[in-house]
Amino acid sequence: MLQRNLGVLFLNKKVSFFSAIVIFNNALTALYKYNTYFCTIKYYRGIFMKLYFSAILLVLLALSSCKDTSDIKDRYAYIGGEIINPTTNYVVLFKTEAIIDTIKLDNRNRFLYKVNNLEEGLYSFRHGYEYQMILLEPKDSVLFRLNTLDFDESLVFTGKGAKKNNYLINEFLENEIEEKYIFKLCQLTPTIYQNRIDSLRSLKVKSFKSFKSRHKVSPLFEKIALANIDYDYYSSKEIYPFVHYGKDKVAILKSLPEDFYNYRKDINYNDDLSIHYYKYNKFLRYTFSNLSLIEHGIHSNDEHFNRYSLCYNLDRLKLIDSLVTNTSIKDELLYELTINYISKNKNIENNNVVLKSYLNKTKSKKGKKELTSFTNALNNLKIGSNFPDIKLINYENVEFDINSIIKSPTAISFWSHTFHKHFKDSHKKLKELEKKYPEVVFITINIDDYGLEKPKKSLKKYRFSSKNEYTFKNPKEASRALAIYPMTKVMIVDQNKKIVNNNTNIFSIKFEKQLLDLINR
């Protein structure tokens, strides 16, 4: 049966791509059922899955090389894959901010999609709250397999166009590790630091040249790969004054070698190619934070730099507005830096001033609405105010008003499947804190809108207790009312249900002192 269907698939060129896949899938399904009749399913499932994806790739590559003139004219690419532990039943494909399509997963959590009239470049796919970039060029046939419990680390591409995407994802993961090393290097003197990061950049360039010598690369891929190396290098330069232990940041800037920021004269602050690429955006955030130090130093009388200074943050928004002309880049930068300031600042008046500055500069209607709502919610959560009435559901499916269970000093933290590492790390930390501070009740709330079973399964998998664990009855409304950003946010409430701290962090060196102050009130 398999042989007969493959013969139809390859010999009859009038068979459409999707018809071919259906034929092929049916044949493989039949083979799978045949095998399971005689063999142990558990043993053969892994082998069969490899056969399935390898065969799909053969079909994709065969069809890609077909001499049909209509295929030659059309610019297209295929993208497909399998999602393990899916959080939704679909994948969303984007080009910049525009949604290309919402693609449903089949009953095996797989999908296959043809991008017609392909505009080559960086795309992104989103599943749940997680997303990742993918480079698509004409005639690519890229499949991937990922596990949502370890999203980036589990992502592997296969097929035509896979090598360049595996290169990019591996480079992304390596850079996450390198960042910690860079932070340590920042304590070195400027000249030694510059020599070290110059060496790191040289190694990356050498690695890319080695990749290029072994694989044929397109001009577009080469441009992106080299831009990655450059933006990592530039970001390392821009963070130096902030991470260096000295408190007088202006003095640190003056101590740098004259050529330290020479690359700035060639920077394009409105790069359409990199507009939605995380490394470019990260670099821009660091750059504008750094450039604003100079302006801030001119009219600041602060003895030590305070990154939450109202003056400094207004200077930063003003500088972005003056240098960035690309509306999308400007709106994203303004939004990220504004919400970061407002979420961590305790002064309501200053928050309102920064919000007003943001609203006057951005063109994003969505951003204006979201940040206005976020700021208003934070203002309602000021220290000393009553904790809002929020409905919770425990893992026995019993509904509670959160204030009915706050009867002693309480720390309220949040988690999401989107931030899997935070989920594991925070629960381990909470275990330690519960033993150390029995006077405090630690309430933990899953903010996802997946129902009870998925978070319950996650807790069980890692052997975390479901005691004092809840989900929101209305996740979107509750998350908005509690202004949950960033995910590390923890709220401290006293026995009288009064807010003591509306945004702290269990990993902060100050957190345990805050708990002791609460206990001793």
Side-chain angles (χ1 to χ4, degrees):
M1 178 180 176
L2 177 61
Q3 225 174 5
R4 182 170 65 251
N5 283 322
L6 283 174
V8 172
L9 191 152
F10 285 108
L11 295 177
N12 184 0
K13 292 185 179 179
K14 292 182 181 180
V15 175
S16 71
F17 176 81
F18 289 104
S19 297
I21 291 299
V22 170
I23 293 171
F24 193 76
N25 184 61
N26 290 340
L28 286 175
T29 301
L31 177 61
Y32 180 66
K33 289 179 179 177
Y34 178 82
N35 279 338
T36 56
Y37 183 79
F38 294 102
C39 310
T40 304
I41 294 174
K42 185 176 181 181
Y43 176 79
Y44 277 91
R45 186 177 184 276
I47 298 174
F48 185 79
M49 290 304 298
K50 291 179 181 177
L51 171 64
Y52 183 92
F53 273 94
S54 297
I56 286 286
L57 281 173
L58 288 174
V59 176
L60 288 170
L61 294 172
L63 291 175
S64 295
S65 61
C66 180
K67 299 300 182 183
D68 191 323
T69 55
S70 63
D71 281 348
I72 293 173
K73 287 182 180 180
D74 291 344
R75 296 173 64 82
Y76 66 89
Y78 289 99
I79 179 173
E82 178 185 17
I83 311 288
I84 301 167
N85 295 310
T87 55
T88 64
N89 65 347
Y90 60 88
V91 171
V92 183
L93 184 64
F94 292 84
K95 175 64 174 164
T96 61
E97 291 184 336
I99 296 177
I100 294 175
D101 210 344
T102 300
I103 311 157
K104 282 199 171 183
L105 303 178
D106 65 17
N107 58 3
R108 291 182 183 142
N109 300 324
R110 303 175 194 143
F111 75 96
L112 187 64
Y113 184 81
K114 182 179 182 181
V115 183
N116 290 304
N117 301 316
L118 180 79
E119 180 187 346
E120 65 180 11
L122 290 167
Y123 288 70
S124 59
F125 60 88
R126 190 184 75 211
H127 180 74
Y129 293 102
E130 292 273 18
Y131 81 97
Q132 187 51 265
M133 307 292 293
I134 182 170
L135 175 58
L136 291 179
E137 297 178 277
K139 303 291 183 74
D140 278 350
S141 307
V142 184
L143 296 176
F144 64 81
R145 192 168 186 263
L146 66 83
N147 189 328
T148 60
L149 297 181
D150 207 7
F151 196 92
D152 295 324
E153 287 77 3
S154 68
L155 183 59
V156 178
F157 295 98
T158 53
K160 184 180 178 183
K163 286 185 175 65
K164 61 194 175 193
N165 282 294
N166 281 327
Y167 174 92
L168 293 175
I169 190 66
N170 289 335
E171 194 259 352
F172 165 78
L173 294 173
E174 288 171 6
N175 185 248
E176 285 190 322
I177 298 170
E178 185 185 277
E179 279 187 350
K180 296 177 182 178
Y181 176 61
I182 292 290
F183 273 47
K184 292 180 180 178
L185 292 182
C186 281
Q187 307 315 320
L188 299 171
T189 62
T191 303
I192 297 175
Y193 177 75
Q194 182 166 243
N195 290 337
R196 293 285 182 88
I197 62 173
D198 283 350
S199 297
L200 287 173
R201 184 181 184 279
S202 296
L203 287 173
K204 290 182 180 180
V205 171
K206 184 178 179 180
S207 177
F208 172 73
K209 287 180 177 178
S210 174
F211 179 88
K212 185 179 176 181
S213 69
R214 290 179 283 113
H215 308 288
K216 184 179 179 180
V217 302
S218 68
L220 176 61
F221 170 69
E222 182 168 2
K223 184 177 181 180
I224 291 172
L226 292 176
N228 277 351
I229 295 171
D230 286 339
Y231 286 131
D232 278 340
Y233 176 71
Y234 301 156
S235 293
S236 298
K237 289 286 193 80
E238 299 294 343
I239 65 169
Y240 179 79
F242 293 97
V243 181
H244 191 69
Y245 60 80
K247 293 182 178 180
D248 189 340
K249 302 305 179 184
V250 176
I252 293 172
L253 284 176
K254 290 178 180 178
S255 72
L256 299 177
E258 288 185 9
D259 63 345
F260 200 80
Y261 293 121
N262 270 2
Y263 60 84
R264 284 179 179 171
K265 63 180 182 295
D266 299 318
I267 292 299
N268 179 5
Y269 296 109
N270 302 278
D271 187 354
D272 286 326
L273 173 66
S274 305
I275 185 171
H276 294 290
Y277 202 38
Y278 65 94
K279 292 198 176 184
Y280 179 65
N281 291 332
K282 181 179 74 172
F283 159 71
L284 289 181
R285 290 196 303 273
Y286 289 155
T287 300
F288 283 108
S289 295
N290 199 349
L291 289 172
S292 301
L293 278 175
I294 300 169
E295 179 65 24
H296 179 64
I298 294 172
H299 51 245
S300 171
N301 296 319
D302 296 337
E303 185 177 349
H304 301 302
F305 171 70
N306 176 12
R307 69 182 62 223
Y308 298 112
S309 156
L310 174 63
C311 173
Y312 169 69
N313 281 275
L314 292 175
D315 286 338
R316 194 162 53 164
L317 297 183
K318 182 180 178 182
L319 189 64
I320 292 169
D321 190 40
S322 66
L323 291 181
V324 182
T325 56
N326 184 296
T327 303
S328 295
I329 295 176
K330 179 186 289 190
D331 287 345
E332 188 168 340
L333 280 171
L334 291 172
Y335 183 91
E336 289 181 3
L337 295 178
T338 302
I339 194 171
N340 185 59
Y341 172 81
I342 291 174
S343 66
K344 296 175 182 177
N345 183 54
K346 307 295 183 183
N347 189 305
I348 291 176
E349 290 182 6
N350 288 355
N351 283 348
N352 291 335
V353 172
V354 170
L355 175 64
K356 183 178 178 181
S357 176
Y358 165 79
L359 295 175
N360 288 335
K361 293 174 176 61
T362 186
K363 296 289 191 296
S364 172
K365 293 181 180 178
K366 180 182 178 182
K368 289 179 179 181
K369 183 178 179 181
E370 288 182 354
L371 269 182
T372 300
S373 174
F374 180 81
T375 305
N376 290 338
L378 268 183
N379 291 346
N380 291 331
L381 298 170
K382 62 185 178 183
I383 294 170
S385 61
N386 292 322
F387 197 85
D389 292 328
I390 301 290
K391 300 294 183 183
L392 303 179
I393 300 174
N394 70 8
Y395 289 98
E396 279 70 52
N397 202 22
V398 178
E399 183 179 316
F400 294 86
D401 184 322
I402 192 169
N403 281 311
S404 69
I405 56 178
I406 297 177
K407 298 175 181 177
S408 59
T410 304
I412 304 166
S413 59
F414 310 94
W415 69 276
S416 167
H417 288 89
T418 302
F419 303 94
H420 189 66
K421 187 175 186 303
H422 170 259
F423 158 62
K424 292 191 293 184
D425 292 347
S426 62
H427 276 75
K428 289 175 184 176
K429 182 67 175 178
L430 286 167
K431 266 188 176 181
E432 297 173 12
L433 292 170
E434 284 171 350
K435 291 178 182 178
K436 201 169 181 180
Y437 301 97
E439 306 94 333
V440 179
V441 175
F442 294 88
I443 291 175
T444 313
I445 305 171
N446 174 259
I447 71 167
D448 299 324
D449 196 6
Y450 300 147
L452 287 176
E453 288 308 310
K454 184 171 178 62
K456 188 175 182 179
K457 182 180 176 182
S458 296
L459 290 169
K460 186 177 180 181
K461 178 179 178 179
Y462 292 99
R463 299 180 181 179
F464 295 138
S465 171
S466 60
K467 181 184 177 182
N468 293 326
E469 291 272 355
Y470 302 89
T471 64
F472 287 128
K473 181 181 179 181
N474 300 301
K476 288 184 180 178
E477 292 176 16
S479 295
R480 193 179 300 116
L482 295 179
I484 301 175
Y485 177 91
M487 187 52 60
T488 54
K489 171 173 179 165
V490 175
M491 303 181 72
I492 297 178
V493 184
D494 68 15
Q495 64 272 20
N496 299 316
K497 306 172 181 55
K498 300 287 185 181
I499 296 173
V500 175
N501 194 315
N502 61 11
N503 187 4
T504 185
N505 186 333
I506 58 173
F507 298 103
S508 167
I509 57 174
K510 300 177 181 178
F511 185 71
E512 293 194 43
K513 182 181 183 304
Q514 291 168 349
L515 290 183
L516 289 171
D517 289 344
L518 176 65
I519 294 168
N520 295 325
R521 282 168 70 96

